[in-house]
Amino acid sequence: MKSPISPPSSSVRRKTKAKTRIITSPRRETCGTSDPNATDWIIQVNESLEGMSSDEQQYWKKWSIYKVPSYVADLNPKAYQPQVVSFGPYHHGKEHLRPMEDHKRRVLFQFLRRSGKLLQHYIESLRKVAGDLEASYDALDPKWKEGSVDGAADQFLELMITDGYFMLQILRYATGKVKGEYEDNDPIFSKHGDLYVHPVIRRDMLLLENQLPMLVLDWLVAICYGVQKDESINSLILNFCSRSVDSVSKEKCLHVLDVFRKNMLKEPEKKDKAESQVSEEIIRSATELREHGIYLKKSDTNSLKNISFDSGVLRLPGIVVDEDTESMFLNLIAFERFHVGAGSEVTSYIFFMDDVIDKGQDVALLHTRGIIDNAMESDEAAAKLFNSLAMGVVLDPDSSLHDVINKVREYCRKRRHKWRANFIHTYFRNPWVILSLIAGVLLFGLTMVQTVYTVLGYNK
């Protein structure tokens, strides 16, 4: 496909030359050239602009699944690449992912056999939304698009059905809804698969480049089970992908990663938005905050938005840090970075935690407070993980965390809080110091009493 500003081909020139015969000479003089080819090119550009509709100018609004640019992916290429399974067209056909393709086809064959219908029947049913599915991908290879080559549209829809049904079966298996459909020694849908394969699939399912439009899952649920409820699909996704699910949002989501993200950001109550001044400095690390008299405490929910500071207590949501944490957060940050309107709450959380965590001792302190459950090889490794996640991220000027940062900084400026904290850390760190302090106070009191009695006896 040629760009509208590229030099026109000979066939295009013949078309435009027929039009130039009705162009008067004054218009050519206005163009500032007597070259007919240049005039034809200008006319072609004008016609292209006139024919461009508002929908074509804003087609990117339908994007929700993005190809991570090299300048981002090169920082940590493995974080954005699936390890065992591909969902969608971006990584389809890669050599190391082909073994799972056999399992996808096996699952699809069982579905078709139970339904008694051919695959073409479902392709024709899904064809009506093919354009919307294609438009969800910002960098879809032309070979998948309708009209590029014969059968390209069918190949794309077949991919959507195959990957979508396999994903749906994985999600349903996690809730025990596919018992009896597979053998006990099935490599995927069995205890063995649940132990060794599903954790990697879960990780791959949360990659930005490895998403399927939610429209596919909606359609499959409606076709296979006769219901179409967003909250039921969201529940399946969260049951498989999330460690803690207090409630399931009924909000319309774009794909699995979006469902997971919204669950991480849910909050129990809405707070009034108050104008907050953008902080000019970062806050201190966890150990430094403790030295300034700030007590770190786990929030009552695990929502990443549930960060607050009041009366010297900084509350942070609990989080499990393991080998999959880096990939998960990098893809959530990438989604917020490339999807307009997604928000920046996860990015803001990482920015804030990068300030709170500087070294391994900060992780150790947060662990003792129940805020971080560290499954990494060391506290230093967990600290480096958060520091690496924050590379290149910025805090949204409208983030509510600015208010928290300002309150913490104001509290740290007051010296009495630091003096009190030093007194407590110095004299109340262990029971022996406490006993020594008590003994010293008692001794001082007895000395004062003895002095008073001595003075009174002397006067008498």
Side-chain angles (χ1 to χ4, degrees):
M1 180 177 180
K2 295 185 179 294
S3 169
I5 63 173
S6 59
S9 62
S10 57
S11 60
V12 174
R13 286 176 185 170
R14 284 193 295 271
K15 277 186 173 183
T16 55
K17 281 181 180 178
K19 294 184 179 181
T20 55
R21 284 197 289 269
I22 64 173
I23 303 299
T24 61
S25 56
R27 181 171 179 179
R28 258 184 211 201
E29 293 173 359
T30 303
C31 294
T33 179
S34 59
D35 185 359
N37 290 336
T39 305
D40 293 344
W41 176 75
I42 293 173
I43 295 173
Q44 182 187 4
V45 171
N46 291 335
E47 290 177 348
S48 299
L49 293 175
E50 291 174 359
M52 185 178 295
S53 66
S54 59
D55 291 339
E56 290 173 335
Q57 295 179 38
Q58 299 178 4
Y59 68 98
W60 57 83
K61 287 187 175 181
K62 296 183 179 180
W63 291 347
S64 61
I65 304 170
Y66 301 86
K67 196 81 170 173
V68 180
S70 59
Y71 70 88
V72 176
D74 288 347
L75 298 175
N76 191 345
K78 293 183 179 180
Y80 305 96
Q81 304 295 320
Q83 295 180 355
V84 298
V85 62
S86 66
F87 293 108
Y90 285 160
H91 297 278
H92 178 76
K94 290 189 175 180
E95 185 66 28
H96 70 288
L97 303 176
R98 287 182 181 177
M100 193 62 69
E101 294 299 317
D102 294 334
H103 295 293
K104 290 182 186 178
R105 288 189 289 269
R106 171 173 62 89
V107 171
L108 180 63
F109 175 76
Q110 292 181 0
F111 163 66
L112 295 175
R113 185 176 59 184
R114 287 194 300 268
S115 68
K117 297 179 181 179
L118 298 176
L119 177 60
Q120 192 62 33
H121 168 79
Y122 296 102
I123 291 177
E124 293 299 328
S125 177
L126 191 60
R127 195 183 302 279
K128 64 180 71 174
V129 293
D132 293 331
L133 296 177
E134 292 178 4
S136 299
Y137 295 89
D138 83 313
L140 187 62
D141 193 302
K143 71 178 183 180
W144 295 106
K145 294 184 178 180
E146 187 175 5
S148 57
V149 293
D150 293 338
D154 286 356
Q155 293 176 12
F156 178 75
L157 295 178
E158 180 181 346
L159 176 68
M160 293 289 103
I161 294 173
T162 303
D163 288 2
Y165 188 72
F166 181 76
M167 178 183 286
L168 188 60
Q169 286 296 87
I170 292 291
L171 298 176
R172 296 180 68 244
Y173 175 82
T175 61
K177 294 183 178 181
V178 296
K179 290 183 178 180
E181 296 184 17
Y182 302 96
E183 300 294 334
D184 293 338
N185 61 349
D186 191 287
I188 306 298
F189 302 96
S190 63
K191 291 183 178 179
H192 177 86
D194 191 23
L195 181 62
Y196 295 104
V197 183
H198 286 201
V200 189
I201 293 179
R202 182 182 299 110
R203 179 258 183 200
D204 288 350
M205 201 177 289
L206 294 176
L207 301 179
L208 178 58
E209 295 184 356
N210 216 32
Q211 299 298 308
L212 292 175
M214 188 62 72
L215 180 60
V216 174
L217 298 181
D218 289 339
W219 177 84
L220 282 171
V221 169
I223 290 294
C224 300
Y225 311 108
V227 294
Q228 189 170 3
K229 296 181 179 179
D230 297 333
E231 60 268 26
S232 63
I233 299 178
N234 293 354
S235 179
L236 288 174
I237 293 172
L238 294 177
N239 183 74
F240 180 71
C241 296
S242 182
R243 291 184 173 88
S244 61
V245 183
D246 299 327
S247 61
V248 179
S249 172
K250 298 181 181 180
E251 187 177 356
K252 186 70 175 178
C253 297
L254 300 170
H255 39 62
V256 170
L257 185 63
D258 192 32
V259 174
F260 183 79
R261 175 182 175 276
K262 284 184 169 63
N263 177 68
M264 294 183 71
L265 299 174
K266 67 180 184 295
E267 52 186 348
E269 58 182 0
K270 292 186 177 180
K271 301 177 181 179
D272 296 334
K273 291 185 178 180
E275 295 184 0
S276 58
Q277 183 182 0
V278 177
S279 58
E280 300 175 355
E281 302 176 8
I282 60 176
I283 63 173
R284 303 174 185 271
S285 65
T287 52
E288 290 180 304
L289 292 177
R290 181 184 60 180
E291 296 299 327
H292 282 77
I294 293 179
Y295 185 77
L296 299 167
K297 188 176 181 180
K298 183 180 177 181
S299 302
D300 53 357
T301 71
N302 290 330
S303 170
L304 300 189
K305 298 171 70 175
N306 198 359
I307 298 177
S308 62
F309 179 78
D310 184 50
S311 301
V313 179
L314 177 61
R315 289 179 169 82
L316 299 171
I319 184 175
V320 177
V321 180
D322 54 26
E323 59 183 7
D324 294 330
T325 300
E326 182 177 23
S327 173
M328 176 191 71
F329 274 116
L330 284 175
N331 283 272
L332 289 167
I333 292 171
F335 176 63
E336 292 186 343
R337 181 172 186 172
F338 299 116
H339 185 68
V340 178
S344 60
E345 290 85 357
V346 174
T347 305
S348 298
Y349 168 79
I350 292 299
F351 182 95
F352 188 87
M353 292 301 292
D354 178 50
D355 289 346
V356 174
I357 298 175
D358 187 26
K359 298 179 180 179
Q361 58 186 357
D362 299 313
V363 176
L365 175 59
L366 294 174
H367 176 73
T368 60
R369 298 289 188 262
I371 296 171
I372 287 184
D373 186 3
N374 185 21
M376 303 286 286
E377 61 269 19
S378 65
D379 293 334
E380 288 291 342
K384 290 180 179 179
L385 186 148
F386 277 96
N387 299 152
S388 65
L389 287 174
M391 291 180 60
V393 303
V394 294
L395 185 60
D396 188 341
D398 296 327
S399 173
S400 60
L401 290 179
H402 284 293
D403 185 51
V404 175
I405 292 174
N406 288 331
K407 287 181 179 179
V408 171
R409 288 170 51 212
E410 186 63 28
Y411 189 91
C412 291
R413 287 196 187 102
K414 298 178 180 179
R415 293 184 179 181
R416 66 174 183 272
H417 298 309
K418 186 175 182 178
W419 292 340
R420 182 182 62 184
N422 289 336
F423 179 80
I424 293 175
H425 294 159
T426 302
Y427 297 105
F428 293 93
R429 258 186 320 192
N430 59 68
W432 296 111
V433 176
I434 296 175
L435 291 175
S436 300
L437 178 63
I438 294 174
V441 172
L442 290 176
L443 180 61
F444 178 76
L446 292 175
T447 302
M448 291 298 296
V449 171
Q450 183 181 8
T451 302
V452 170
Y453 273 100
T454 302
V455 173
L456 292 176
Y458 175 79
N459 292 334
K460 185 177 180 180

